[in-house]
Amino acid sequence: MIVNLVVRVVDKQERIIGGYVKEMELPFVPTIGMKFKQGSSTWLWETENGELNPSVKEIVYNIDEEKLYCLFDIHESLKSSFWKEIPYDILARSFELSQFETRE
């Protein structure tokens, strides 16, 4: 199954101030509350202050794309090369982040 791990970096007021994404194929379907780890050579959730341990907050399956999107919220920027950063200037219109919004 193709899965997009989507990370929102949020401030104390829960405003999105950054984001990351990683598309990968997984041999299972993730569930809410699940946590992801990476081998000992690289920290998946590495920050300047150590390692985070977030869990899947929300899951969306996009029928048109035939992809699953897993959302994580964190409060610090990541340093790991595992992630592709979503440039700040396109955060508001990011396709990956839009999967978790309700259309008006």
Side-chain angles (χ1 to χ4, degrees):
M1 160 120 351
I2 301 289
V3 176
N4 278 278
L5 304 180
V6 182
V7 179
R8 293 188 303 199
V9 182
V10 294
D11 64 13
K12 291 180 182 183
Q13 288 77 36
E14 298 299 315
R15 294 178 298 212
I16 300 172
I17 58 172
Y20 303 91
V21 65
K22 176 70 173 188
E23 182 176 278
M24 57 192 314
E25 189 160 347
L26 295 176
F28 59 88
V29 176
T31 60
I32 292 175
M34 182 177 277
K35 295 182 179 187
F36 285 79
K37 287 278 194 186
Q38 189 175 18
S40 59
S41 62
T42 307
W43 292 6
L44 179 64
W45 300 104
E46 181 181 3
T47 72
E48 283 186 12
N49 300 313
E51 184 178 21
L52 302 176
N53 193 20
S55 60
V56 176
K57 179 179 180 175
E58 190 175 337
I59 299 173
V60 171
Y61 181 74
N62 184 310
I63 294 170
D64 295 331
E65 298 287 321
E66 296 182 353
K67 291 182 184 176
L68 198 65
Y69 294 83
C70 296
L71 179 66
F72 300 85
D73 279 348
I74 60 174
H75 297 285
E76 296 180 58
S77 296
L78 297 172
K79 298 295 180 192
S80 173
S81 61
F82 176 85
W83 300 100
K84 176 185 170 199
E85 186 169 8
I86 301 170
Y88 186 79
D89 59 328
I90 67 162
L91 278 176
R93 60 183 195 283
S94 164
F95 180 77
E96 292 86 3
L97 288 173
S98 73
Q99 299 305 301
F100 303 97
E101 298 171 358
T102 303
R103 291 183 276 188
E104 296 177 10

